[in-house]
Amino acid sequence: MLIERHPGMRFEKRRLGNEGAPLLVIDNLVADPERLVSRAVHRPFDARSEYFPGPRTRAPAMFEQFLESVLNPLLPEHFGMRSGRFRFPMCHYSLVATPPAQLRFLQRVPHIDSVGTDGLATVLYLFHGHWGGTAFYRHRYTGFETIDKPRWEIYFRRLESESHGNDAPAPGYINGSTALFEQIAKVDAVFNRLLVYRQDSLHSACIDDDDVPPPDPRKGRLSINTFIDVM
């Protein structure tokens, strides 16, 4: 499957919160995003993750090569990283679809993808409509917006304590500021929009508990999510 750049590709660099973690927003990423949607329709969404609230399936291998060709030249300017060879620990189509009452505690609060500061995560929105974008958060007690290795034990010990406290979140998706977390940025979901951010940034999808997307790649919250290690 050949994947080409959209001729109207646009880049926007943002900084998140007090810590200024980088966020890159790329609109009009691929020339024919509907082909990626069509490919997903014929894939079996039979993979499950302990943390992701819905089914997944492998995305086309060509998407990894395409993403490397787009992002590699941008690493020094936008992320202060040297260009290099990309390794993809994950490259999946994803559908957020878990009912709010079935969410585990760690699915009800913002999460990180890794404590490494040299790893990137991306999400490509492949749906039309109102299923929600992505938000970034600050943990109120610690003030952390990113969780690297030195912060990991401090943060998760505190989060474990808070999971049993009066402010522990009720079953449901986080979709705004709460007693435990402050929302510091929000990016709307736009069809064919790609977000790129560091894996250690606290973030979550913006899902309405009263309107959870169906597990249908044509009608639901379809995205391609990747983790990238730069070698």
Side-chain angles (χ1 to χ4, degrees):
M1 178 182 182
L2 181 63
I3 303 175
E4 298 180 335
R5 300 182 184 213
H6 193 290
M9 187 183 293
R10 300 194 307 272
F11 304 88
E12 179 187 355
K13 182 179 180 180
R14 304 184 189 181
R15 291 287 180 179
L16 300 172
N18 296 331
E19 296 180 7
L23 169 67
L24 182 61
V25 181
I26 304 179
D27 284 309
N28 300 322
L29 180 71
V30 301
D32 190 359
E34 292 291 355
R35 285 186 64 206
L36 288 172
V37 176
S38 297
R39 180 66 67 94
V41 169
H42 297 96
R43 297 283 298 167
F45 279 76
D46 53 9
R48 290 279 179 171
S49 164
E50 182 179 357
Y51 301 108
F52 188 81
R56 288 177 156 175
T57 190
R58 189 76 171 81
M62 282 298 296
F63 186 74
E64 298 179 7
Q65 300 176 31
F66 168 77
L67 209 55
E68 181 171 355
S69 71
V70 171
L71 296 182
N72 218 330
L74 305 175
L75 295 182
E77 177 183 355
H78 293 281
F79 292 94
M81 301 167 61
R82 294 177 59 183
S83 299
R85 183 173 59 85
F86 281 19
R87 185 177 71 87
F88 288 83
M90 186 194 76
C91 182
H92 286 165
Y93 286 113
S94 303
L95 288 167
V96 174
T98 301
Q102 296 179 16
L103 295 174
R104 303 172 183 176
F105 172 75
L106 289 179
Q107 294 174 323
R108 307 197 303 263
V109 297
H111 65 279
I112 60 169
D113 300 315
S114 169
V115 295
T117 58
D118 55 353
L120 299 177
T122 73
V123 54
L124 172 63
Y125 301 121
L126 289 174
F127 60 91
H128 298 278
H130 61 286
W131 297 127
T134 302
F136 296 85
Y137 290 87
R138 176 186 303 118
H139 183 236
R140 291 188 187 275
Y141 183 86
T142 62
F144 295 163
E145 299 167 359
T146 58
I147 311 298
D148 57 10
K149 289 180 180 178
R151 292 178 170 183
W152 185 89
E153 185 172 359
I154 298 170
Y155 172 72
F156 279 101
R157 279 187 177 179
R158 179 64 193 181
L159 194 62
E160 169 66 19
S161 172
E162 291 174 337
S163 71
H164 304 292
N166 294 332
D167 291 328
Y173 290 92
I174 185 169
N175 193 13
S177 295
T178 68
L180 302 182
F181 291 91
E182 179 185 357
Q183 187 180 102
I184 58 174
K186 181 178 178 180
V187 184
D188 292 334
V190 175
F191 186 68
N192 204 20
R193 167 177 283 179
L194 181 79
L195 305 189
V196 190
Y197 47 90
R198 292 189 183 275
Q199 291 180 16
D200 63 351
S201 288
L202 284 166
H203 64 283
S204 183
C206 304
I207 307 298
D208 183 349
D209 283 343
D210 296 323
D211 194 16
V212 176
D216 181 336
R218 283 288 188 196
K219 300 177 180 178
R221 192 183 186 275
L222 179 68
S223 63
I224 295 181
N225 298 70
T226 77
F227 297 158
I228 301 170
D229 294 332
V230 183
M231 313 304 286

